[in-house]
Amino acid sequence: MTSSIGQLNKLLKCHKFFNQFQRSVANHADNARVLDLEVCKGQGVRLWDKNGKEYLDFIGGQGSVNAGHSHPKLIGAMQDQMCILHQTTRSLNNNILPEFCQTICQMFNYDKVLVMNTGVEACETAVKLARIWGYKVKKICPKDALVVFCTNNYWGCSIAAISSSSDPLLFGGFQPLLPGLKLIPYDDPCSLEEVLKNPNVCGFMMEPIQGDYGVIVPNEGYLAEVRRLCTQNKVLWICDEALTGLGRTGAMLGVDYECVKPDILVLGKSLAGGMYPVSATLASCEIMDLLKPGSHHSTFAGNPLGARVASTMLKLIKEDGLAENACAMGALLRDGLLCTFSKDDMPVLRGRGLLWACKIDPRIGSPCDICDQLRDCGLLMWPCRDEFIRMTPPLTLTEEDVTQAISIFKKVINFMKGCGKVC
């Protein structure tokens, strides 16, 4: 309990940093942390505020604008489809959804896909699939199925998501939480092996890289061991790639680095390039065919507008080499930061592709204070958990963009150390 209270107090230290702008949005609930900045235009990797000031965007819609802001191919697809047919619900078949389903299933080698809107919906879909598979295939007694998650996970703010969270800021005040969800440490094969001995475990959901707690990259071999243990114990491995998937880590999927395939794959965020909310849950026929018509659906899921934009985005990833560029620019960013900052100033830098987090010596300044200064100098980064600074720029980043970002970062840190002028 003491550690939870301490964690909550630590997170609330950033509230002053976000508070001013939140109050200016008078009619919206004070439910999210918001930077003290109002932007009105975006193009590529840049944003502009109402005064015309330009910002290099290393937040990137929290990883949802992989193709950059206002990509012409995505805009074109959206405009074309809006003029023809934009919404049907799944009550009617439309002529666009089948192409998307075929494209995404072939791309990731799964039999079937269930299309939803947001990442949390796709994750909820995966949990429901694991449960029904547990009852009908693994023959777990009704109501006894367990789904295992890792501490420090983040997959949304629904009741199910916060019930599987270790973050008191998310679940505090919203109890009672849902039963049947269990937490174990991340990147700990021994803990996983032990919990999977329980015959009532039907699924294990995890992220190949944990993005919300300072970009935690597991030890090499962990994903392969997850695959082995889940197969050995007849448990479905659910991989949440809403953030890490679609080129973010320098590969199409985060799991590709260990050449393993989860039983259920979750994609979201940038699936439609941030233009439209589209998410997907992919699995085999054995798993998907357990759903009955009418048992799981959504008003907007699978609509022709979202399907058209998502199909265009999947093609764009390949055509524009976004994963390859993320790999190259990520290496450039990593090497540049390591060469620019000493181990004393930046004791932690971790990530892969264009998903990175760093920790700056707290004597220099807090992540919130540093991001405040970076913003004033035209660079947007995200203060993550009041301990790290997270970077999730669009995957269209160039060498010039990386050089500019490192230069601004260096000036800000030098200024906060008292040995230079701010931008």
Side-chain angles (χ1 to χ4, degrees), residues 81-157:
Q81 191 60 44
M82 286 179 74
C83 295
I84 302 170
L85 180 67
H86 71 281
Q87 164 68 338
T88 58
T89 81
R90 288 291 289 123
S91 302
L92 293 172
N93 289 320
N94 66 72
N95 65 321
I96 305 299
L97 183 60
E99 178 190 352
F100 169 69
C101 293
Q102 183 179 35
T103 299
I104 196 169
C105 285
Q106 289 179 350
M107 183 173 285
F108 297 105
N109 192 27
Y110 286 91
D111 297 330
K112 291 190 175 183
V113 60
L114 199 158
V115 182
M116 296 298 287
N117 308 288
T118 64
V120 68
E121 290 175 271
C123 286
E124 295 246 9
T125 300
V127 172
K128 290 175 70 174
L129 285 170
R131 280 184 167 182
I132 195 170
W133 177 89
Y135 296 133
K136 293 195 173 185
V137 177
K138 197 174 180 180
K139 304 301 181 182
I140 298 171
C141 293
K143 300 182 180 181
D144 287 346
L146 291 173
V147 180
V148 179
F149 300 82
C150 293
T151 54
N152 297 337
N153 75 77
Y154 177 79
W155 54 279
C157 295

Side-chain angles (χ1 to χ4, degrees), residues 320-342:
D320 289 12
L322 295 186
E324 293 81 0
N325 192 64
C327 185
M329 293 303 103
L332 192 66
L333 178 63
R334 176 200 64 212
D335 293 346
L337 290 172
L338 290 175
C339 289
T340 301
F341 298 104
S342 69

Side-chain angles (χ1 to χ4, degrees), residues 94-259:
N94 66 72
N95 65 321
I96 305 299
L97 183 60
E99 178 190 352
F100 169 69
C101 293
Q102 183 179 35
T103 299
I104 196 169
C105 285
Q106 289 179 350
M107 183 173 285
F108 297 105
N109 192 27
Y110 286 91
D111 297 330
K112 291 190 175 183
V113 60
L114 199 158
V115 182
M116 296 298 287
N117 308 288
T118 64
V120 68
E121 290 175 271
C123 286
E124 295 246 9
T125 300
V127 172
K128 290 175 70 174
L129 285 170
R131 280 184 167 182
I132 195 170
W133 177 89
Y135 296 133
K136 293 195 173 185
V137 177
K138 197 174 180 180
K139 304 301 181 182
I140 298 171
C141 293
K143 300 182 180 181
D144 287 346
L146 291 173
V147 180
V148 179
F149 300 82
C150 293
T151 54
N152 297 337
N153 75 77
Y154 177 79
W155 54 279
C157 295
S158 69
I159 287 293
I162 67 171
S163 296
S164 65
S165 174
S166 57
D167 185 350
L169 186 62
L170 291 181
F171 65 72
F174 302 110
Q175 294 92 336
L177 303 177
L178 298 183
L181 310 175
K182 186 174 179 60
L183 286 168
I184 62 169
Y186 185 68
D187 194 17
D188 187 342
C190 293
S191 293
L192 179 61
E193 184 173 23
E194 184 63 30
V195 76
L196 294 190
K197 292 177 181 178
N198 186 331
N200 291 330
V201 174
C202 60
F204 173 54
M205 188 162 93
M206 50 82 73
E207 304 153 272
I209 297 176
Q210 286 194 325
D212 204 52
Y213 282 78
V215 185
I216 302 172
V217 182
N219 289 314
E220 185 177 351
Y222 174 62
L223 299 179
E225 187 66 358
V226 168
R227 177 66 282 171
R228 185 187 72 82
L229 289 171
C230 286
T231 301
Q232 177 180 295
N233 291 278
K234 199 175 182 182
V235 169
L236 296 182
W237 176 23
I238 305 165
C239 197
D240 174 11
E241 294 245 21
L243 175 61
T244 55
L246 305 174
R248 170 59 56 185
T249 66
M252 276 301 291
L253 297 174
V255 295
D256 289 348
Y257 282 92
E258 295 196 23
C259 301

Side-chain angles (χ1 to χ4, degrees), residues 2 13 16 33 41-42 54 65 75 78 96 114 140 156 166 186 211 221-222 229 241 260 281 305 334 348 350 409:
T2 302
K13 286 181 181 178
K16 183 179 179 182
R33 294 181 294 156
K41 178 185 174 183
E54 181 180 307
V65 289
I75 291 174
M78 178 169 275
I96 305 299
L114 199 158
I140 298 171
S166 57
Y186 185 68
Y222 174 62
L229 289 171
E241 294 245 21
V260 287
T281 307
L305 179 59
R334 176 200 64 212
V348 176
R350 58 196 186 204
F409 209 159

Side-chain angles (χ1 to χ4, degrees), residues 5 18 38 219 232 248 273 285 293 307 351:
I5 293 173
F18 298 107
E38 183 176 353
N219 289 314
Q232 177 180 295
R248 170 59 56 185
C285 290

